[in-house]
Amino acid sequence: MSGTGRAMDLRIGWLYGGKMNIYGDRGNVLALMRRAAWRRIAAETVDIGLGDPIPDGIDAFFFGGGQDREQIAVARDLVGAKGAAIRTAVEGGAAMLAVCGGYQLLGHEYRPHGAAPLPGIGLFDLVTEAGPERFIGNIVVETEFGDLVGFENHSGLTHLGSGARPLGRVRVGRGNNGRDGFEGAIYRNAVGCYLHGALLPKNPVLADWLLQAALRRRHGDVELAPLDDALERTAHAEAGKRALRAR
Ligand code: GLN
């Protein structure tokens, strides 16, 4: 039920969960499902793998991280109609969370080490190229959702184009490219970032923003019943302290 008491449903499309699922990223799907279930919202997760079409009626997508070799197969699968269907869904109000390898493939191109450039679907105005070092460590990003905390592990250096809005400013860690001070990108109800961990269990404000956007697409403006996020806030605070200590 939402705060209005109406029973609601929700469809989450998990993109390439069998291939793009590292550093706990599946926890993001679990967090969205649980935060919906705690509000008695009937949420279902639809696995969308290699060769699968993008089903109609997806309210929120999740696209996790993966190593370069998985990204090569996934990039090939996204070329053409499949990538276009995801763009159309997001333009139509669907929510999206993409992390690291998934985030990179939502830009125009990802240039990995020792392989031909991979085409992205062009949802975000950005380009990523593999850099000489891996950025590994805790990360804290100042955003419109408050501080987001997570863990980054990527060699990709992401550069935002004029049409891209950064998710936020790096407080601790390296972010998109370790130079411009920005991390991630946001466009309509789509968020891309480098925060593994999983991100959403420790960042309930962002989790509920994605849920709200997904529900709005299917049910119009509804308010989410508040949850007791004491445990989530404690995890968030501990992760933030750990990141600041490790600086
Ligand atoms: N292969 C990409 C990189 O190293 C993405 C890695 C990831 O998803 N953690 O930047």
Side-chain angles (χ1 to χ4, degrees), residues 22-23 65-66 68 71 100-101 104 110 134 153-156 196:
I22 52 178
Y23 311 131
D68 288 2
Q71 288 178 282
C100 205
Q104 294 168 343
Y110 170 50
R134 286 200 78 79
N153 183 336
H154 58 103
S155 68
H196 292 289

Side-chain angles (χ1 to χ4, degrees), residues 74-147:
V74 167
R76 280 200 198 105
D77 191 61
L78 281 171
V79 169
K82 196 157 175 178
I86 295 170
R87 282 201 315 271
T88 301
V90 171
E91 292 296 346
M96 161 77 79
L97 173 64
V99 177
C100 205
Y103 166 42
Q104 294 168 343
L105 293 180
L106 295 189
H108 299 301
E109 187 173 80
Y110 170 50
R111 303 167 193 145
H113 285 300
L118 304 179
I121 73 167
L123 179 68
F124 293 124
D125 179 14
L126 59 86
V127 172
T128 302
E129 57 183 338
E133 68 173 304
R134 286 200 78 79
F135 294 168
I136 301 177
N138 295 305
I139 179 170
V140 179
V141 185
E142 194 176 333
T143 78
E144 64 193 85
F145 308 106
D147 279 357

